């Protein structure tokens, strides 16, 4: 069975950022940036402002804040163009709460913590824990060690029942590569979750917000009043708001997992989502804004350390490939036969360079073969197929049978193909074959049942089981990595030059 792509276009199109609802563990207030007039707010804001939403609209924010607090916010709004800034707000009744201030071009968004702020110096009390976490993460020397250190430190600091790290593959499925949990939670270590569990639009929101908290699965969603933001004449964009409500299907997903609270922290590489750290708790659990800020800090440190290690490992592979490639290119200059230069060296031949099962040099009406390759009839058919593509550069695939059905009969030798053009106009190529790697994917539940629609075709539910589900995968080779493709491009240039010089 071939691997399937479980990234749901349906789930990926849901407007998660325009739900016009928030979770009930805090309050949201929107003001005009120019004059601090309240233009929109969550319907529960009466708890902190003392009046109904209808009465509060068009009121001045200054009426409800302590003068020093209002002055500080005004200065922030004047000094910064666009950002998210943690602040402490003191209301007119002297109650103090933590908040997150979002500075937008036309308006300000205040996400206000539900709990009254204590006067303890929180960061000072946990500074040693933060320093210990940073030392453990930055001292780890491998991807696995960083992952294990990260989840261990986050679990220790937060008290979640379980914390796991999962890494996305090229199809956005997430594999759990590290886990630390109590016996109350099911283990998912080594299992893969389909991309539809965190669909495209949800993944994009992690680029705007470093974490996502759901303290209580069965919360009562709170509406915004009015429904339409008068400054934008549309729904308020809640993309980077922590209070943003949660789709019912995800709350059902949490219920099926047996958890009441969750928190996810992003891991980035080169500005793109590389993975997530997911925290689970059996009972409702709230992480205050101070701890969230620490998680945001650690998210950046974890991302940086993982990026450094991946870059180091990639450079090591690239350097080794470059040395082998240079040896082959050196022989191209001195050997009369391209076949000898490419294949006839026990250590630095083409098969070793690209981890091939075999290769065919199609050059000057000859077919020079090295290693285990498909029969000559298939090679000629493959050349016609390649000619029709009119290649302008490399061609590569790790699943040839998906593109050329006949190759299924040769999957043991040719599940993967890399075509290095020499002179495409004369059907001259270097064909590089990789063998099949049979394998099994351990899924966290059946991915074919990740989304189950009701009879109306509109309402749907997540899968209700996360028990191990094994899928056999065949007709795939090892993928071609970036360093190998760079080496192949360099080799293509020298082969084309070598052909031209030999003609001359």
């Amino acid at each position: 069975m071939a691997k399937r792509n479980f990234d749901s276009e349906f789930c990926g199109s849901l407007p998660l950022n325009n739900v016009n609802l928030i979770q009930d563990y805090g309050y949201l207030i929107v003001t005009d940036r120019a004059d601090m007039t309240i233009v929109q707010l969550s319907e529960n804001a009466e708890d902190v402002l003392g009046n109904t939403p209808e009465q509060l609209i068009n009121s001045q924010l200054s009426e409800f804040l302590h003068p020093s607090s209002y002055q500080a916010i005004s200065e922030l709004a004047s000094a910064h163009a666009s950002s998210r800034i943690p602040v402490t707000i003191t209301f007119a009744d002297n109650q103090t709460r933590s908040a997150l201030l979002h500075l937008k071009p036309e308006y300000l968004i205040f996400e206000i913590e539900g709990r009254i702020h204590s006067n303890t110096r929180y960061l000072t009390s946990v500074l040693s824990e933060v320093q210990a976490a940073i030392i453990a993460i930055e001292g780890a020397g491998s991807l696995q060690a960083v992952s294990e250190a990260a989840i261990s430190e986050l679990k220790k600091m937060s008290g979640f029942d379980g914390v796991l790290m999962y890494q996305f593959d090229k199809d956005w499925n997430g594999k759990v590569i590290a886990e630390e949990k109590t016996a109350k939670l099911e283990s998912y270590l080594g299992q893969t979750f389909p991309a539809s569990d965190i669909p495209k639009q949800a993944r994009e929101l992690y680029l705007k917000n470093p974490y996502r908290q759901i303290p209580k699965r069965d919360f009562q969603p709170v509406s915004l009043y009015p429904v339409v933001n008068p400054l934008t004449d549309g729904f308020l964009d809640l993309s980077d708001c922590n209070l943003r409500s949660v789709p019912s299907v995800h709350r059902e997903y949490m219920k099926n997992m047996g958890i009441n609270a969750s928190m996810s922290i992003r891991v980035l590489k080169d500005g793109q989502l590389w993975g997530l750290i997911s925290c689970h708790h059996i009972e409702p659990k709230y992480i205050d804004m101070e701890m969230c800020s620490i998680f945001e800090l650690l998210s950046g440190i974890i991302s940086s350390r993982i990026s450094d290690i991946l870059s180091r490992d990639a450079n090591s592979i690239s350097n080794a490939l470059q040395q082998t490639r240079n040896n082959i290119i050196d022989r191209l200059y001195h050997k009369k036969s391209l076949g000898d230069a490419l294949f006839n060296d026990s250590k630095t031949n083409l098969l070793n360079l690209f981890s091939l099962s075999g290769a065919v040099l199609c050059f000057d009406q000859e077919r020079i073969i090295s290693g285990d390759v498909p029969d000559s009839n298939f090679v000629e058919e493959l050349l016609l197929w390649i000619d029709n593509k009119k290649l302008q550069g490399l061609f590569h695939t790790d699943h040839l049978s998906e593109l050329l059905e006949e190759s299924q009969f040769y999957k043991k030798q040719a599940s993967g193909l890399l075509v290095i053009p020499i002179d495409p106009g004369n059907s001259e190529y270097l064909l590089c074959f990789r063998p099949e790697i049979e394998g099994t994917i351990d899924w966290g539940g059946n991915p074919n049942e990740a989304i189950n629609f009701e009879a109306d075709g509109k309402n749907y539910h997540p899968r209700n089981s996360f028990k191990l589900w094994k899928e056999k995968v065949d007709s795939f080779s090892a993928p071609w990595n970036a360093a190998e493709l760079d080496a192949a491009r360099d080799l293509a240039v020298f082969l084309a030059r070598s052909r031209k010089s030999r003609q001359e």
Side-chain angles (χ1 to χ4, degrees), residues 179-293:
E179 176 185 73
E180 190 167 313
K181 65 175 196 65
T182 65
K184 296 184 288 185
L185 288 172
E186 188 172 344
S187 175
Y188 299 114
L189 185 62
Q191 295 182 24
T192 300
F193 288 77
S196 54
D197 281 11
I198 308 175
K200 180 180 178 182
Q201 190 156 338
R203 295 192 302 265
E204 289 175 349
L205 291 176
Y206 279 105
L207 298 179
K208 299 180 178 181
N209 203 343
Y211 58 87
R212 174 72 162 138
Q213 179 178 193
I214 306 172
K216 185 174 64 174
R217 183 188 72 214
D218 296 324
F219 68 90
Q220 291 297 318
V222 180
S223 298
L224 301 186
Y225 179 87
V227 172
V228 174
N229 184 300
L231 298 178
T232 63
D233 200 27
F235 280 7
L236 184 67
D237 185 353
L238 297 172
S239 295
D240 55 355
C241 289
N242 302 326
L243 285 170
R244 174 170 47 84
S245 190
V246 184
S248 59
V249 67
H250 185 73
R251 295 163 72 181
E252 187 177 351
Y253 179 93
M254 291 174 65
K255 182 178 180 180
N256 293 345
M257 287 190 81
I259 60 174
N260 266 289
S262 71
M263 186 169 185
S264 299
I265 302 104
R266 72 185 181 189
V267 181
L268 301 179
K269 181 182 181 295
D270 300 328
Q272 299 300 314
L273 193 62
W274 178 89
L276 284 176
I277 298 174
S278 189
C279 308
H280 298 155
H281 208 68
I282 297 293
E283 301 298 331
K285 182 176 180 62
Y286 174 69
I287 300 297
D288 61 30
M289 284 195 180
E290 286 85 353
M291 181 59 78
C292 286
S293 295

Side-chain angles (χ1 to χ4, degrees), residues 51-63:
N51 290 325
T52 66
E54 294 85 351
Q55 294 171 322
L56 291 166
I57 293 299
N58 295 324
S59 299
Q60 290 292 319
L61 184 64
S62 59
E63 298 176 28

